[in-house]
Amino acid sequence: MSRRTLLQAGAIVFGASLIDIKNVAAFTPVSFKTPTLKPEEISAIEAAMGKKGMYKEAEATHTTPLPRNDLKITVKGDAVPIAFGFGGWVSIKRTLDGKSAVLMSDCVLLQEEVNPLISAAHANGLEVSAIHNHFFYEEPRIFYMHLHGMGTPEELAKKYAKAISETKISPKNQPPAGAPPAKTGKDIFDVSQLNGLIKYEAAINGPTIKYTIGRSDLTIMAMGAEMTSSIGLNTWASFTGTMEKAHIAGDVAMLEPEVNAVIKALRENNLEVVAVHNHMLGDKPHIIFLHYLGTGPALQLAKGFRDALDQLGKGGKDKMGMH
């Protein structure tokens, strides 16, 4: 049996002992590939949400984007697009044993919207796993709430849709995104140069570009499911502005021994650390997330992000779930 298989087996047993919503059954170590969502299950999710989503076959994960198109946001007095970091999401995938599914979500909220959604989530059988900031200097002030739950894919989508039904994050309550920008991130930034420095390929997202990087070096389990990039286990960097004066914002997913090395790398590059916290409950090994922010020449900001990336995967291999 491979080390990865042993880690997954141990993580599932751990997950089964946590709280009763886990409902993780015993398993036979034959295949550890997450079962796919069936077409009818994807249709049921999208019908409940009232919006088409994206299904990533490689991770067997369905994601519905939930941008806050109703908001006008500034950071340090500069207007920034919603795509810079003010788009929430909800993802659903099956547990490894295929007997249940898990939901995870990141909700973008004004401060007065936080506690009403907590009550609505609990009333609909979902749990809160984190509430925190991602930014400094933003107006209006924005908070992020992570929700999770277990059940069938359709049940989870219905519970979530009902929980958010009276909020602005519900697709039915959102205005359209508006006309496409005159210039996209591909026109604004020297994407090939930034890609070469960061060593990953950026996605073009309206007037922004975004790097999203999973932790393929880790096997992280929560609620009997493998946590992967599409369900929130990722490091990212978003750029807006210009090559000469850009804003960067993002998130770094870290094992506990990596936290202060990443903080040191960011600060040495004059990037601001704005939050250090969890996103998930019951994840094993436990992942800490760090949000950062910076303003300056895009290449300088990209170097800081790359230096932080270079701190990941260096330590704790024997005890922290690396393979």
Side-chain angles (χ1 to χ4, degrees):
M1 190 180 289
S2 71
R3 178 171 175 80
R4 180 183 175 92
T5 300
L6 286 168
L7 286 167
Q8 288 176 324
I12 294 172
V13 171
F14 172 87
S17 68
L18 283 176
I19 57 177
D20 31 284
I21 74 158
K22 303 287 187 283
N23 267 341
V24 181
F27 69 99
T28 303
V30 176
S31 171
F32 291 96
K33 183 176 174 62
T34 298
T36 60
L37 292 174
K38 299 174 183 176
E40 57 268 29
E41 291 173 326
I42 293 172
S43 295
I45 291 169
E46 294 180 344
M49 291 300 303
K51 183 177 182 178
K52 287 282 186 184
M54 301 166 291
Y55 183 65
K56 188 163 185 179
E57 189 79 36
E59 298 177 37
T61 303
H62 183 276
T63 299
T64 306
L66 299 169
R68 285 298 299 261
N69 296 324
D70 58 306
L71 298 177
K72 303 293 184 186
I73 297 175
T74 63
V75 174
K76 293 186 174 180
D78 292 338
V80 295
I82 296 304
F84 184 51
F86 303 97
W89 51 269
V90 56
S91 293
I92 295 173
K93 72 184 298 184
R94 287 203 167 277
T95 54
L96 283 182
D97 65 10
K99 296 180 179 181
S100 187
V102 299
L103 173 148
M104 294 209 173
S105 173
D106 196 2
C107 308
V108 180
L109 303 167
L110 296 169
Q111 54 191 341
E112 62 268 23
E113 297 170 337
V114 171
N115 279 280
L117 182 55
I118 293 173
S119 297
H122 282 172
N124 286 281
L126 300 175
E127 294 190 339
V128 177
S129 59
I131 301 169
H132 45 239
N133 63 300
H134 284 191
F135 287 85
F136 289 157
Y137 318 116
E138 83 278 20
E139 295 291 342
R141 197 175 186 198
I142 301 296
F143 285 85
Y144 295 76
M145 183 191 301
H146 293 263
L147 300 176
H148 69 211
M150 291 192 77
T152 70
E154 183 174 7
E155 285 170 351
L156 289 170
K158 286 181 174 178
K159 286 179 178 181
Y160 187 83
K162 189 173 180 184
I164 67 170
S165 63
E166 301 302 316
T167 74
K168 290 290 188 181
I169 62 178
S170 176
K172 69 179 182 178
N173 298 330
Q174 270 293 301
K183 290 185 177 182
T184 70
K186 187 176 181 180
D187 304 312
I188 296 167
F189 293 99
D190 187 336
V191 178
S192 62
Q193 192 175 11
L194 290 167
N195 287 352
L197 181 56
I198 294 174
K199 302 177 186 175
Y200 286 91
E201 186 173 344
I204 310 302
N205 194 357
T208 73
I209 64 171
K210 184 176 183 180
Y211 296 88
T212 303
I213 303 160
R215 289 296 305 251
S216 59
D217 59 320
L218 300 176
T219 299
I220 306 296
M221 300 295 298
M223 298 187 290
E226 185 175 5
M227 299 293 101
T228 55
S229 183
S230 293
I231 202 165
L233 183 67
N234 59 63
T235 292
W236 59 270
S238 184
F239 290 79
T240 191
T242 65
M243 285 296 291
E244 294 73 28
K245 185 190 175 185
H247 294 290
I248 187 174
D251 199 354
V252 185
M254 308 164 293
L255 294 168
E256 291 174 3
E258 298 167 343
V259 172
N260 278 280
V262 169
I263 289 173
K264 183 178 179 182
L266 292 169
R267 293 303 300 132
E268 287 178 345
N269 285 277
N270 204 33
L271 295 177
E272 294 190 66
V273 176
V274 302
V276 179
H277 49 231
N278 67 289
H279 286 181
M280 297 175 280
L281 300 177
D283 51 324
K284 185 173 177 63
H286 188 47
I287 295 295
I288 303 296
F289 293 83
L290 177 152
H291 292 270
Y292 63 90
L293 186 67
T295 302
L299 289 174
Q300 181 180 312
L301 300 176
K303 177 187 178 298
F305 177 57
R306 181 64 249 182
D307 285 356
L309 283 178
D310 286 340
Q311 309 310 309
L312 302 180
K314 283 187 173 181
K317 292 187 178 182
D318 292 334
K319 296 182 179 180
M320 300 303 292
M322 303 184 71
H323 59 85

